[in-house]
Amino acid sequence: MKRIIITLVGKDHVGIIGPVCNFFADNNINNLDIKQTTVQEYINMMMIVDIEKYDKDFDTLVSDLDKTGEKVSCIIKAQHEEIFEMMHRI
């Protein structure tokens, strides 16, 4: 398993989750866990995904997530799980 941490932040509106989940499905990315919080009109979503079957490189994933984020007017970022764990160990 090759796990990645995905975060999405933006102003909440109808139609955010569908394009993100479609991107995952179209690219063989399995959503393992998801947590979403909405504070007033803002959405913050964190996902743990498995990219074991994703057939492109990490830079392409980051670029494609940027484009998906633009489509839904949100910022979507990806981090390797190992880096995320190291950052939060301090």
Side-chain angles (χ1 to χ4, degrees):
M1 191 175 306
K2 194 172 180 184
R3 293 166 33 138
I4 299 291
I5 309 299
I6 308 282
T7 55
L8 177 149
V9 178
K11 197 159 187 177
D12 193 19
H13 58 86
V14 174
I16 293 174
I17 297 172
V20 175
C21 290
N22 285 338
F23 171 78
F24 291 160
D26 292 345
N27 288 281
N28 295 313
I29 297 172
N30 187 24
N31 194 343
L32 302 171
D33 199 0
I34 185 169
K35 178 72 175 180
Q36 174 185 322
T37 304
T38 305
V39 177
Q40 293 185 9
E41 68 269 15
Y42 297 97
I43 185 171
N44 184 358
M45 187 181 308
M46 181 175 172
M47 297 159 273
I48 300 173
V49 301
D50 179 10
I51 62 166
E52 187 73 36
K53 296 180 180 176
Y54 180 69
D55 61 0
K56 300 172 189 164
D57 63 20
F58 186 76
D59 290 337
T60 302
L61 174 64
V62 169
S63 176
D64 289 347
L65 284 171
D66 283 341
K67 292 173 189 168
T68 302
E70 288 174 12
K71 289 179 187 175
V72 296
S73 301
C74 292
I75 297 170
I76 303 176
K77 297 293 179 187
Q79 298 178 53
H80 291 282
E81 182 180 37
E82 301 84 25
I83 294 171
F84 189 83
E85 285 181 7
M86 294 270 199
M87 286 174 34
H88 291 89
R89 206 179 277 181
I90 298 174

